[in-house]
């Protein structure tokens, strides 16, 4: 028997804006950031303990009436800033998060929230482009990348609940928030449809059935050369910049080049991860992965002055490689995609998965000959093969045990 469940998803698309529209959206984003800072200054200097939402709302209405530049921000976006800031303090008061802080111009991602979807009027123009109404901006084109619920005829059922405008190095994008009624089937028989996944560097994803998912460099050779040149230029120019001095136009242009190239690489990473995780979620019912503490794995080996670290350069390179693979995001994508397909994702404890022989289940010292080679030293076994494949088989076997122990026993077994 299946059940119906509400799914909240986001769909990001690139906006096609004119130069004037970009300036107006930049003004809205700066006004939203400044409004957050004004609210923070009001709370920290007024002495009012745990102010009510209505008190902050009155202050915002007064500010929008008397401060001209706040008028660039739509009223709905102002209320969204207010509610987000108030929720941040509520989380702090309840001990679930730290207190909110000021948002600096250089470190804050420009963003404007559109909390209500009634005025968006999203329509599809043709195969590649759609149209959307943005407050104080008008009708704007956006790149159509996937079907939106309630918009595409014959597309997914549901509705758009709001949107958020975000700017990165590649320009302004719109993220549609959608609500879908998904029919989730009961957990299917995974007797012949289960897989374990080992995440790595040389082989990004190694599957227990022998398959692998690989990718090439995220940047082309020409782009790598441009990135290295820009990084050297920025390091050279910063040598002649005094502390507290404003960034020159030339240095800012170099920073823009670096941000643009890194944004391209990130978009390619996301594209590969989405396509790969979608294929895995459709092919397997039970997906098992290692429960890795990625933050601890990426700790610096530099050490201290009294106790300096060893192999610092090698560890730094490994940390960059791990960060480039974005292992945590891969698991997040797999989690909701397997659930949408009626499957399940199981997190397996990491200790022993790469040292245990998947054939005999025994950990024998010296079996891991190299990073890519595994030879079981158990006299009664002697299995040999790829180390990533061996680890993925161990993960798959442990995932089956954990899934059965959680009450989702394999169909046909007792």
């Amino acid at each position: 028997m299946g059940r119906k469940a509400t799914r909240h998803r986001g769909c990001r698309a690139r906006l096609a804006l004119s130069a004037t529209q970009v300036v107006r959206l930049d003004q809205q984003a700066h006004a939203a950031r400044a409004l957050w800072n004004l609210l923070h200054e009001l709370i920290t200097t007024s002495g009012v303990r745990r102010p009510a939402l209505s008190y902050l709302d009155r202050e915002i209405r007064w500010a929008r009436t008397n401060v001209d530049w706040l008028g660039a921000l739509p009223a709905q976006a102002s209320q969204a800033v207010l509610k987000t800031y108030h929720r941040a303090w509520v989380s702090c008061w309840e001990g679930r998060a730290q207190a909110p802080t000021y948002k600096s111009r250089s470190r804050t991602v420009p963003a404007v929230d559109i909390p209500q979807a009634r005025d968006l009027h999203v329509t599809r123009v043709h195969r590649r482009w759609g149209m959307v109404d943005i407050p104080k901006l008008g009708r704007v084109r956006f790149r159509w990348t996937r079907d939106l619920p309630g918009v595409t005829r014959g597309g997914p059922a549901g509705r758009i609940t709001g949107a958020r405008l975000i700017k990165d190095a590649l320009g302004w994008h719109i993220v549609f928030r959608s609500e879908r009624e998904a029919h989730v089937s009961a957990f299917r028989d995974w007797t012949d449809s289960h897989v374990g996944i080992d995440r790595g560097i040389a082989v990004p994803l190694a599957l227990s059935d022998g398959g692998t998912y690989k990718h090439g460099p995220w940047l082309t050779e020409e782009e790598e050369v441009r990135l290295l040149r820009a990084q050297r230029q920025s390091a050279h120019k910063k040598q002649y910049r005094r502390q507290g001095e404003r960034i020159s136009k030339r240095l800012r242009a170099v920073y823009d080049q670096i941000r643009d190239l890194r944004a391209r690489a990130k978009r390619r990473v996301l594209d590969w991860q989405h396509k790969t995780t979608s294929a895995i979620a459709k092919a397997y019912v039970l997906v098992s992965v290692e429960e890795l503490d990625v933050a601890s794995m990426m700790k610096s080996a530099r050490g201290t002055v009294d106790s300096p670290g060893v192999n610092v350069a090698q560890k730094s390179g490994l940390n960059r490689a791990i960060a480039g693979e974005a292992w945590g995001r891969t698991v997040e994508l797999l989690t909701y995609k397997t659930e949408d397909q009626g499957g399940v994702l199981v997190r397996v404890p990491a200790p022993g998965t790469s040292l245990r022989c998947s054939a005999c289940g025994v950990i024998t010292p010296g079996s891991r000959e190299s990073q890519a080679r595994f030879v079981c030293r158990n006299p009664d076994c002697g299995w040999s093969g790829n180390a990533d494949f061996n680890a993925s088989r161990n993960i798959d076997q442990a995932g089956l045990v954990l899934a059965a122990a959680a009450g989702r026993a394999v169909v046909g077994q007792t």
Side-chain angles (χ1 to χ4, degrees), residues 82-352:
L82 167 64
K83 293 179 180 179
T84 303
Y85 182 77
H86 187 262
R87 281 198 301 268
W89 272 114
V90 170
S91 299
C92 175
W93 297 332
E94 295 178 354
R96 291 182 282 110
Q98 295 182 350
T101 59
Y102 280 98
K103 290 187 175 183
S104 65
R105 186 186 184 99
S106 59
R107 296 181 180 274
T108 303
V109 177
V112 180
D113 200 34
I114 307 177
Q116 297 181 4
R118 62 186 181 187
D119 299 326
L120 290 176
H121 302 299
V122 182
T123 57
R124 185 174 186 178
V125 179
H126 53 75
R127 183 170 60 91
R128 294 189 176 183
W129 293 98
M131 299 288 288
V132 59
D133 286 340
I134 297 179
K136 292 186 177 291
L137 210 64
R139 198 76 172 157
V140 176
R141 289 194 309 160
F142 68 91
R143 188 70 169 87
W144 192 275
T145 56
R146 67 180 65 179
D147 292 336
L148 296 174
V151 177
T152 309
R153 182 178 299 178
R159 64 189 181 95
I160 295 176
T161 59
R164 185 173 178 83
L165 307 174
I166 300 176
K167 186 179 183 181
D168 60 12
L170 300 180
W172 279 98
H173 298 75
I174 183 168
V175 181
F176 294 102
R177 293 189 293 265
S178 65
E179 184 178 89
R180 308 183 183 188
E181 290 292 335
H183 181 78
V184 181
S185 60
F187 289 107
R188 296 171 288 166
D189 180 11
W190 56 58
T191 307
D192 299 320
S193 183
H194 55 85
V195 69
I197 300 177
D198 178 63
R199 292 166 286 173
I201 302 299
V203 180
L205 297 179
L207 275 58
S208 58
D209 59 2
T212 58
Y213 285 94
K214 300 180 180 180
H215 58 76
W218 303 124
L219 295 176
T220 63
E221 293 184 4
E222 180 183 354
E223 291 170 339
E224 287 283 3
V225 172
R226 289 170 53 194
L227 178 60
L228 180 59
R229 185 188 304 120
Q231 290 173 335
R232 288 175 175 174
Q233 289 177 354
S234 66
H236 176 75
K237 293 180 184 299
K238 283 194 295 186
Q239 292 179 353
Y240 302 96
R241 177 172 171 263
R242 293 186 296 270
Q243 186 175 2
E245 184 182 1
R246 293 189 62 180
I247 299 177
S248 65
K249 292 183 179 179
R250 290 184 178 180
L251 182 56
R252 190 174 295 279
V254 173
Y255 285 160
D256 291 341
Q257 292 179 23
I258 295 174
R259 280 195 295 266
D260 176 71
L261 291 169
R262 289 179 175 173
R264 291 186 187 184
K266 183 177 179 180
R267 292 293 294 273
R268 291 166 186 170
V269 174
L270 284 171
D271 179 70
W272 181 84
Q273 285 183 319
H274 273 288
K275 291 178 179 178
T276 301
T277 53
S278 296
I280 293 174
K282 292 178 181 179
Y284 304 97
V285 179
L286 176 65
V287 180
S288 303
V289 297
E290 284 181 297
E291 190 172 6
L292 299 175
D293 188 356
V294 181
S296 298
M297 295 174 63
M298 294 177 59
K299 285 185 178 179
S300 174
R302 185 174 302 174
T304 61
V305 176
D306 299 330
S307 178
V310 295
N311 297 328
V312 177
Q314 294 87 334
K315 185 62 169 64
S316 299
L318 177 62
N319 290 346
R320 286 193 297 270
I322 294 175
E325 293 298 331
W327 290 342
R329 186 167 59 224
T330 300
V331 175
E332 290 179 1
L333 297 177
L334 272 174
T335 301
Y336 81 81
K337 290 185 179 183
T338 52
E339 184 180 357
D340 287 347
Q341 296 293 329
V344 61
L345 183 135
V346 177
R347 290 175 171 83
V348 175

Side-chain angles (χ1 to χ4, degrees), residues 360-381:
C360 64
V362 177
I363 298 178
T364 308
S367 295
R368 185 72 180 266
E369 286 191 345
S370 64
Q371 189 67 26
R373 185 68 176 170
F374 186 94
V375 178
C376 183
R377 300 301 180 184
N378 183 6
D380 298 330
C381 180

Side-chain angles (χ1 to χ4, degrees), residues 190 194-196 286-289 344 346-349 356 393-410 413-414:
W190 56 58
H194 55 85
V195 69
L286 176 65
V287 180
S288 303
V289 297
V344 61
V346 177
R347 290 175 171 83
V348 175
R356 184 184 303 107
R393 290 180 61 184
N394 286 326
I395 295 170
D396 182 36
Q397 294 167 8
L400 286 170
V401 174
L402 291 176
R408 305 188 184 100
V410 178
Q413 297 183 5
T414 58

